[in-house]
Amino acid sequence: NAGVTQTPKFQVLKTGQSMTLQCAQDMNHEYMSWYRQDPGMGLRLIHYSVGAGITDQGEVPNGYNVSRSTTEDFPLRLLSAAPSQTSVYFCASSYGTGEPYNEQFFGPGTRLTVL
Amino acid sequence: KQEVTQIPAALSVPEGENLVLNCSFTDSAIYNLQWFRQDPGKGLTSLLLIQSSQREQTSGRLNASLDKSSGRSTLYIAASQPGDSATYLCAVRRRGSQGNLIFGKGTKLSVKP
C-alpha cells in the first residue's frame, strides 16, 4: 500500500491564481479530510468527507472547495489564492469513524506559498 | 469548545532518560485520543490511538494513558534516543463530530547524545 499520497510536494502561486491539491489513498478508507498547519495555530480542519459524494465544512473552509467522486480521491481546490492561504496542507484518512476503524493516517503534506 | 493543550512546548533531555509528555483537553466527551510524531518538514506519523473505552496503549518504548475524567493524557517514552527527536502532537476526536480531530500545538522534543 502507498498509504495517503499528496501532490504536489511544493507549490508557489501568485495572488488570484487557482489550483488543486491532490490527495489519494489506496486503503479503501471511507473518511478523508484536509487540514492546514500554520506556525502558532496548530492543525485546523478545512473540509472532510465520510464517503463518496458526501462532503462537509470544517473549522476554516473559506476559500476552499472539495468534492469526493471516488472513494480513493479527495482533491482540495483553491479558488482564488490569497497570501493568507500560505500554509502546509495535510490530507488524512481512516477506514471509518467508529471503533476500531478510526485511526487516522496522514499524507506527507503540500507546502504552498502564495505571493 | 474543545481545546487541547500540550505542555511543555519544548523539552530537551539527555539520551537514555525516561520522559513524559503531557496533553490536556477541556471536554471529556471524546471518542478517542491519538498521539502523532512529526519530523521537520514531514507529515504526521500515528504512534498510538486510545479509544474512549481504554485506559492505555503500548507500542515498544511508548506508552500512552488516558484519563477522561481529568481531561488528561500522557505519552511515556522509555530510554530515549536521539532518533526520538521530533515534535509530538496529540489530537482528540470530539463526541458528536464525524471523525474530525482537534490538535494540540505539540511538544518539540530534543534528545541529546
Side-chain angles (χ1 to χ4, degrees), chain A residues 37 88 90 107-109 111, chain B residues 38-44:
Chain A
Q37 185 176 36
V88 182
F90 290 103
R111 284 146 186 81
Chain B
Q38 186 176 27
D39 294 289
K42 303 294 185 182
L44 280 68

Side-chain angles (χ1 to χ4, degrees), chain A:
Chain A
N1 284 348
V4 181
T5 58
Q6 293 183 238
T7 56
K9 286 185 168 51
F10 300 94
Q11 183 70 48
V12 178
L13 291 178
K14 294 181 179 178
T15 297
Q17 288 184 318
S18 62
M19 78 160 295
T20 299
L21 279 63
Q22 301 291 344
C23 174
Q25 50 85 17
D26 60 357
M27 299 175 282
N28 199 30
H29 284 180
E30 288 294 325
Y31 178 86
M32 297 185 74
S33 56
W34 278 100
Y35 291 84
R36 60 178 288 174
Q37 185 176 36
D38 301 292
M41 299 294 293
L43 282 100
R44 294 176 293 169
L45 181 69
I46 305 171
H47 284 286
Y48 66 95
S49 169
V50 297
I54 305 169
T55 63
D56 207 344
Q57 297 180 350
E59 181 184 356
V60 288
N62 291 342
Y64 308 96
N65 271 0
V66 293
S67 60
R68 184 97 179 270
S69 57
T70 68
T71 299
E72 294 78 18
D73 301 295
F74 190 42
L76 178 72
R77 297 183 189 84
L78 279 68
L79 308 172
S80 178
S84 61
Q85 294 179 303
T86 294
S87 188
V88 182
Y89 292 85
F90 290 103
C91 179
S93 73
S94 64
Y95 187 74
T97 56
E99 297 188 30
Y101 308 110
N102 51 8
E103 182 175 9
Q104 295 203 31
F105 299 90
F106 280 70
T110 293
R111 284 146 186 81
L112 176 67
T113 300
V114 182
L115 302 175

